[in-house]
């Protein structure tokens, strides 16, 4: 199976899962292949399934991979049918990278993100997890869940100026 990130294309709303157990059984190989692909990516800590194509077809399954920012090169968690059940704390405007827009120069995502989120999802073993995330991890969860829900993020062009440019005396 060949996975690739689909560049420069907004992710569509991914269909709801009616029966999680049946979904897991039906897509066991695809779930494992998606996890391996997500682990192999070293340029991000989150990946929504519908950001990818599998053997040339959009991989439109309702799941995300989220790496722990402290162990991003080791493993990732697969969240099937993830939902943010509560947003709390302060809401901040954040600048984010996105693998979907990685091939487009000077593009970045500008998004309102809450500092805390409660998430609910199923593991590939069918276990329901409920967790609270804060800070950067909360930001990643919001970004990836937005992908599978088809939420269009605000994309802006930010010109990167060389950091080595010296300022004049005055």
């Amino acid at each position: 199976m060949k996975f690739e990130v689909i560049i420069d294309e907004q992710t569509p709303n991914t269909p709801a899962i009616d029966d999680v157990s049946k979904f897991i059984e039906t897509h066991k190989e695809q779930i494992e292949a998606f996890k391996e692909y997500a682990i192999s990516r070293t340029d991000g800590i989150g990946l929504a399934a519908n950001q990818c194509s599998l053997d040339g077809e959009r991989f439109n399954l309702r799941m995300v991979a989220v790496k722990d920012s402290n162990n991003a090169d080791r493993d990732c968690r697969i969240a099937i049918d993830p939902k943010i059940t509560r947003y709390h704390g302060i809401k901040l405007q954040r600048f984010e990278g996105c693998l979907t827009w990685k091939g487009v120069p000077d593009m970045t995502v500008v998004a309102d993100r809450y500092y805390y989120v409660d998430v609910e999802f199923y593991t590939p073993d069918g276990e329901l997890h409920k967790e609270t995330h804060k800070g950067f991890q909360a930001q990643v969860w919001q970004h990836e869940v937005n992908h599978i829900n088809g939420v269009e993020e605000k994309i802006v062009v930010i010109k990167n100026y060389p950091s080595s440019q010296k300022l004049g005396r005055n």
Side-chain angles (χ1 to χ4, degrees):
M1 291 185 207
K2 183 180 178 191
F3 273 95
E4 294 178 304
V5 171
I6 300 171
I7 301 295
D8 195 19
E9 188 177 315
Q10 182 64 37
T11 50
N13 187 4
T14 304
I17 298 173
D18 295 326
D19 183 339
V20 172
S21 299
K22 185 176 178 181
F23 174 89
I24 291 169
E25 188 59 37
T26 305
H27 298 96
K28 210 167 212 39
E29 282 183 37
Q30 292 172 320
I31 292 168
E32 191 56 38
F34 175 65
K35 181 177 182 177
E36 292 303 315
Y37 177 70
I39 290 170
S40 76
R41 296 295 303 227
T42 58
D43 50 355
I45 69 164
L47 184 64
N50 63 354
Q51 282 179 279
C52 302
S53 69
L54 173 63
D55 296 332
E57 297 290 321
R58 186 176 284 279
F59 190 60
N60 207 19
L61 297 180
R62 194 168 181 78
M63 60 186 185
V64 300
V66 178
K67 297 179 182 181
D68 179 341
S69 55
N70 296 322
N71 298 311
D73 59 340
R74 294 190 196 151
D75 202 4
C76 69
R77 300 175 74 190
I78 299 298
I80 297 169
D81 200 23
K83 297 173 182 70
I84 296 178
T85 57
R86 182 174 173 221
Y87 299 89
H88 47 113
I90 57 174
K91 183 167 59 169
L92 302 167
Q93 193 169 66
R94 310 301 285 171
F95 294 99
E96 303 174 345
C98 182
L99 296 177
T100 302
W101 306 110
K102 188 173 176 76
V104 184
D106 303 323
M107 296 295 256
T108 194
V109 174
V110 179
D112 289 332
R113 301 289 187 223
Y114 285 87
Y115 191 74
Y116 292 94
V117 292
D118 295 340
V119 296
E120 182 178 290
F121 62 92
Y122 292 89
T123 67
D125 296 327
E127 295 176 28
L128 178 64
H129 279 248
K130 296 179 181 185
E131 302 172 350
T132 299
H133 293 277
K134 69 176 184 175
F136 183 65
Q137 284 296 122
Q139 184 178 347
V140 172
W141 278 95
Q142 291 169 84
H143 181 100
E144 299 310 332
V145 170
N146 278 357
H147 273 302
I148 64 170
N149 289 334
V151 174
E152 193 168 332
E153 303 285 8
K154 181 179 178 185
I155 308 297
V156 296
V157 174
I158 295 181
K159 293 291 181 193
N160 295 322
Y161 294 100
S163 60
S164 61
Q165 190 175 17
K166 292 184 180 177
L167 296 175
R169 230 171 36 130
N170 297 326

